[in-house]
């Protein structure tokens, strides 16, 4: 009888261990095959808008996000550019390059990278001339200030301001045209 009880207890313990291991394995498998959005969604910082503004020779770029940003900024050369990688980031609406054309900055380009475990939104700022930069989190935004080492000649900023305003107005008109076309297509 002692041998029989021993075998029953051993069988019950083995069954529980197998059940625990099976449960742990199923949970691990579910985590691996879960859609990326289900795992990364809670951490995702969606960049909903990008604004660039000239302030004299400086250019301030603001990335408006939906969560407190975690980022890395670094500079690359040939061509000279500042790269800001936002961990857990996703871009909404920004697909092509954004022409800024200030004294310090030419264009801003965007890219997204993701794996099953991570997601990164990349913002690449083309620099027109040697400059220093400062990148700070402010609430859910990332504020990037580009300060050129070389100051513009007298009168250049006024002409540049007019060009920037004309480009901004052209973007507004283009956006209004696109919205009107979408509305017209949805009514048809």
């Amino acid at each position: 009888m002692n041998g029989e009880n021993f075998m029953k207890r051993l069988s019950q313990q083995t069954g529980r261990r197998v059940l625990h291991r099976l449960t742990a394995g199923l949970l691990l498998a579910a985590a691996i095959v879960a859609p990326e959005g289900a795992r990364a969604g809670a951490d995702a910082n969606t960049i909903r808008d990008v604004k660039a503004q000239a302030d004299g020779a400086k250019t301030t770029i603001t990335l408006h996000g939906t969560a407190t940003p975690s980022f890395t900024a670094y500079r690359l050369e040939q061509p000279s550019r500042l790269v800001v990688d936002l961990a857990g980031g996703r871009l909404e609406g920004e697909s092509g390059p954004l022409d800024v054309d200030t004294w310090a900055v030419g264009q801003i380009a965007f890219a997204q990278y993701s794996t099953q475990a991570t997601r990164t939104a990349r913002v690449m700022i083309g620099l027109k001339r040697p400059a220093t930069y400062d990148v700070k989190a402010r609430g859910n935004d990332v504020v990037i200030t580009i300060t050129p080492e070389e100051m513009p000649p007298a009168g250049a900023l006024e002409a540049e301001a007019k060009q920037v305003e004309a480009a901004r107005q052209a973007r507004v008109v283009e956006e209004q045209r696109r919205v009107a076309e979408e509305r017209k297509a949805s009514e048809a």
Side-chain angles (χ1 to χ4, degrees):
M1 197 76 144
N2 276 343
E4 262 180 57
N5 286 338
F6 175 75
M7 291 303 287
K8 278 185 181 178
R9 276 187 277 139
L10 182 61
S11 178
Q12 289 172 347
Q13 289 173 353
T14 302
R16 280 192 294 260
R17 272 189 244 139
V18 168
L19 183 60
H20 287 254
R21 287 182 182 162
L22 182 60
T23 302
L26 287 173
L27 290 173
L28 179 62
I32 289 171
V33 298
E36 181 179 327
R39 286 192 312 266
D43 301 323
N45 182 7
T46 302
I47 304 304
R48 296 200 170 178
D49 194 21
V50 178
K51 299 278 188 206
Q53 178 179 337
D55 180 16
K58 289 183 184 181
T59 301
T60 302
I61 299 163
T62 305
L63 311 174
H64 298 284
T66 59
T68 303
S70 174
F71 59 87
T72 303
Y74 52 95
R75 193 170 171 159
L76 295 174
E77 297 297 329
Q78 296 180 353
S80 182
R81 62 205 180 278
L82 173 64
V83 178
V84 180
D85 286 338
L86 292 113
R90 185 175 75 82
L91 298 168
E92 179 179 278
E94 297 296 338
S95 58
L98 176 64
D99 289 322
V100 177
D101 202 24
T102 65
W103 180 252
V105 175
Q107 279 188 336
I108 304 172
F110 309 93
Q112 296 186 97
Y113 305 97
S114 63
T115 65
Q116 286 187 338
T118 64
R119 177 182 297 189
T120 302
R122 177 168 287 172
V123 179
M124 298 159 285
I125 302 165
L127 303 175
K128 290 171 114 178
R129 51 192 36 85
T132 59
Y133 65 90
D134 182 47
V135 184
K136 292 183 180 177
R138 189 172 295 147
N140 290 346
D141 297 343
V142 176
V143 179
I144 306 160
T145 304
I146 310 290
T147 306
E149 293 174 3
E150 170 190 344
M151 290 297 121
L157 290 178
E158 292 170 14
E160 190 173 291
K162 288 179 183 176
Q163 287 178 331
V164 169
E165 180 58 24
R168 186 192 68 75
Q169 287 178 354
R171 284 192 304 271
V172 167
V173 167
E174 177 60 27
E175 180 65 16
Q176 289 172 342
R177 183 195 62 77
R178 186 186 62 76
V179 168
E181 284 179 359
E182 287 176 359
R183 189 176 298 137
K184 189 176 182 180
S186 68
E187 291 173 356

